[in-house]
């Protein structure tokens, strides 16, 4: 349960800080527009995403069990966060996130880090694909510049709402949104190490500011972004509200644990290291207690941002802490520039994020899975989209564990690693 920063600081040097600082700056450039986009897609104010990157990102790096984990808001939370805000308001989300943080802390102190690996891989892939589908469809409104009331949380009513406002499509916004998706996907394949997410969104926003006044921006819809962090405060809590929010809190805690562990495994294999899973759970717990106190969203380890950190040269938790501080500095001094980001471009960014989450290149492998596992994957995905994420996870996990026991498989599975960069390394705890 010892944080990695205590280990890495023993022989830290000025050159190591230079590498970590450059990596932290690079990740912050990616995290800034992505955090805003995730907050908007979740039904929250744009500032909530930045607050999460600052507070949650700093806590996860400072207390976590991975050398290079980058924390903050992630696409995996969009579905559950949107639903909680829709049903209980933003104050309800803050309470649910606090509860999830306490659950994660307890899990970490009880050394439950390894138990998460017993969740069947088919369930993980299924709900990840389902989340990706929901995210992509939730972005159609902003991608096409549609106007109308807020969309419902449930998928089928959401489709009905989109169909009802089809006549309000803004051609300039739609062209920009689709163009951003195409540009990011094509340019990322041509030169994968360049942060095209940032560059494409920035260029599109400049074009909108200069030539496309009909394209809505972040500040145009939500007003100016705050210049710094708000004062921390506890949300109003009642026993009835906590009982109503318990399923959502458990889902948030489960997703945070799963995604942070997956991200740590990816990082291990990229740097040849070994994370400490229980320290990771404790860090996720602390981050999800601290973030809502400042008005932030749920936080967890972000796989793509962690990989960006490693590729940029980050090798200790200092890089993640620098990333959080750079986002804070941007809030204080560059809020007006962040407010000028075009909403269709941000929607396009999240469509690309959903596409990446679904890992379409793996369908040939998935089709070769045993029929029962593939059916479990599809069932979990369909339930995530059409029913409820918490129900999908619960039913999928129970069925998956029963399936494994029927085969005599007792040991935890060796999870597939998303985003294949090569390198094996170890993924066990030190």
């Amino acid at each position: 349960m010892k944080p990695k920063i205590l280990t890495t600081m023993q022989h830290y040097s000025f050159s190591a800080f230079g590498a970590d600082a450059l990596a932290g700056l690079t990740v912050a450039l990616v995290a800034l527009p992505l955090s805003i986009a995730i907050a908007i897609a979740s039904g929250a104010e744009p500032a909530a995403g930045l607050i999460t990157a600052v507070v949650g990102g700093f806590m996860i790096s400072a207390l976590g069990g991975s050398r290079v984990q980058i924390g903050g808001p992630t696409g995996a939370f969009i579905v559950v966060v949107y639903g909680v805000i829709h049903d209980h308001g933003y104050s309800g989300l803050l309470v649910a996130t606090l509860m999830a943080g306490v659950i994660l802390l307890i899990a970490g102190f009880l050394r439950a880090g390894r138990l998460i690996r017993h969740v069947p891989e088919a369930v993980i892939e299924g709900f990840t694909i389902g989340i990706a589908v929901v995210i992509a469809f939730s972005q159609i409104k902003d991608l096409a510049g549609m106007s109308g009331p807020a969309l419902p949380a449930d998928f089928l009513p959401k489709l009905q709402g989109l169909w009802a406002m089809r006549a309000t499509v803004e051609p300039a916004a739609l062209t920009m949104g689709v163009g951003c998706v195409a540009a990011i996907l094509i340019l990322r394949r041509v030169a994968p190490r360049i942060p095209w997410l940032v560059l494409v969104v920035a260029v599109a926003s400049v074009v909108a500011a200069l030539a496309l006044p009909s394209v809505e921006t972040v500040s145009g819809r939500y007003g100016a972004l705050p210049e710094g962090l708000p004062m921390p405060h506890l949300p109003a809590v009642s026993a009835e509200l906590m009982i109503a929010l318990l399923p959502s809190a458990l889902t948030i805690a489960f997703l945070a644990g799963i995604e942070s562990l997956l991200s740590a495994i990816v990082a291990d294999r990229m740097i040849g290291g070994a994370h400490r899973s229980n320290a990771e759970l404790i860090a996720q717990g602390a981050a999800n207690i601290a973030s809502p106190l400042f008005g932030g969203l749920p936080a967890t380890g972000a796989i793509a941002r962690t990989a960006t950190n490693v590729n940029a040269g980050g090798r200790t938790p200092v890089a993640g802490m620098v990333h959080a501080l750079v986002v804070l500095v941007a809030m204080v001094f560059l809020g007006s520039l962040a407010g000028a980001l075009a909403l269709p471009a941000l929607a396009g960014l999240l469509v690309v994020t959903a596409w990446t989450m679904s890992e379409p290149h793996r369908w040939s492998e998935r089709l070769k899975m045993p029929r029962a596992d593939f059916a479990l994957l599809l069932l979990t995905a369909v339930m995530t989209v059409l029913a409820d994420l918490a129900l999908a996870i619960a039913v999928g996990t129970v069925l998956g564990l029963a399936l494994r026991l029927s085969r005599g498989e007792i040991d935890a599975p060796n999870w597939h690693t998303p985003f294949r960069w090569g390198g094996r390394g170890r993924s066990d705890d030190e």
Side-chain angles (χ1 to χ4, degrees):
M1 292 188 288
K2 181 180 179 182
K4 276 285 186 176
I5 194 169
L6 298 180
T7 303
T8 56
M9 289 295 99
Q10 293 176 3
H11 305 288
Y12 202 62
S13 64
F14 183 78
S15 60
F17 174 75
D20 285 337
L22 180 60
L25 175 61
T26 302
V27 177
L29 292 175
V30 176
L32 200 148
L34 190 58
S35 298
I36 292 174
I38 289 172
I40 293 173
S42 302
E45 294 291 320
L50 297 177
I51 291 169
T52 311
V54 173
V55 178
F58 191 92
M59 297 291 289
I60 288 171
S61 293
L63 302 177
S66 170
R67 296 173 67 95
V68 293
Q69 180 89 283
I70 300 294
T74 68
F77 286 126
I78 289 176
V79 177
V80 62
V81 168
Y82 191 95
V84 173
I85 294 176
H86 183 271
D87 294 337
H88 301 282
Y90 197 74
S91 60
L93 173 67
L94 299 180
V95 174
T97 307
L98 280 168
M99 294 169 63
V102 173
I103 293 169
L104 286 163
L105 276 182
I106 295 172
F109 285 120
L110 292 178
R111 300 181 179 274
R114 286 183 173 273
L115 296 179
I116 294 178
R117 292 198 186 192
H118 286 280
V119 178
E121 182 178 351
V123 174
I124 295 171
E125 291 210 39
F127 76 67
T128 302
I129 293 169
I131 289 170
V133 170
V134 175
I135 291 174
F137 277 88
S138 71
Q139 295 311 296
I140 292 177
K141 181 182 177 182
D142 283 345
L143 189 80
M146 294 178 177
S147 58
L151 294 172
D154 294 332
F155 186 73
L156 294 180
K158 190 190 302 289
L159 293 184
Q160 294 172 350
L162 288 170
W163 181 253
M165 62 180 72
R166 64 190 184 280
T168 66
V169 171
E170 168 60 46
L174 179 61
T175 301
M176 173 178 289
V178 174
C180 286
V181 173
I184 294 171
L185 291 176
I186 294 171
L187 294 172
R188 191 170 63 179
R189 180 172 291 274
V190 173
R193 290 188 176 274
I194 297 177
W196 293 114
L197 289 174
V198 182
L199 296 177
V200 170
V201 171
V203 170
S205 298
V206 171
V207 171
L210 296 177
L212 300 173
S214 62
V215 172
E216 199 170 12
T217 63
V218 172
S219 59
R221 178 182 296 180
Y222 298 99
L225 295 176
E227 297 179 347
L229 295 177
M231 292 298 294
H233 67 280
L234 277 171
V237 181
S238 67
E240 293 79 9
L241 182 62
M242 292 178 65
I243 293 173
L245 290 172
L246 182 58
S248 298
L250 290 170
T251 302
I252 292 171
F254 180 84
L255 287 175
I258 287 288
E259 189 158 3
S260 66
L261 183 51
L262 280 172
S263 182
I265 292 173
V266 169
D268 287 347
R269 294 179 180 177
M270 291 182 72
I271 66 174
H275 72 279
R276 298 164 181 158
S277 58
N278 295 310
E280 269 302 296
L281 289 183
I282 292 173
Q284 306 301 321
N288 283 288
I289 290 175
S291 178
L293 294 180
F294 290 87
L297 304 169
T300 187
I303 296 175
R305 271 162 277 169
T306 296
T308 301
N309 179 40
V310 173
N311 288 331
R315 288 299 180 269
T316 79
V318 172
M321 297 162 73
V322 169
H323 135 267
L325 294 175
V326 171
V327 174
L328 177 59
V329 170
M331 288 182 67
V332 175
F333 296 105
L334 302 175
S336 59
L337 291 179
L341 295 175
L343 291 179
L346 292 177
L349 185 156
L350 281 184
V351 169
V352 173
T353 299
W355 176 261
T356 305
M357 284 176 61
S358 68
E359 294 188 282
H361 62 278
R362 294 200 63 246
W363 276 107
S364 59
E365 296 178 28
R366 292 168 180 150
L367 293 173
K368 297 176 183 177
M369 295 171 64
R371 290 186 178 181
D373 291 329
F374 186 66
L376 180 61
L377 183 153
L378 293 180
L379 174 65
T380 306
V382 171
M383 290 186 66
T384 299
V385 173
L386 298 181
D388 177 77
L389 179 59
L391 181 63
I393 292 172
V395 173
T397 300
V398 170
L399 292 177
L401 291 176
L403 183 62
R404 282 179 48 207
L405 289 174
S406 69
R407 296 170 177 168
E409 299 172 358
I410 304 300
D411 295 333
N414 183 21
W415 280 349
H416 155 72
T417 301
F419 305 98
R420 297 178 179 179
W421 287 283
R424 296 189 64 82
R426 295 182 300 123
S427 60
D428 53 323
D429 292 354
E430 286 184 342

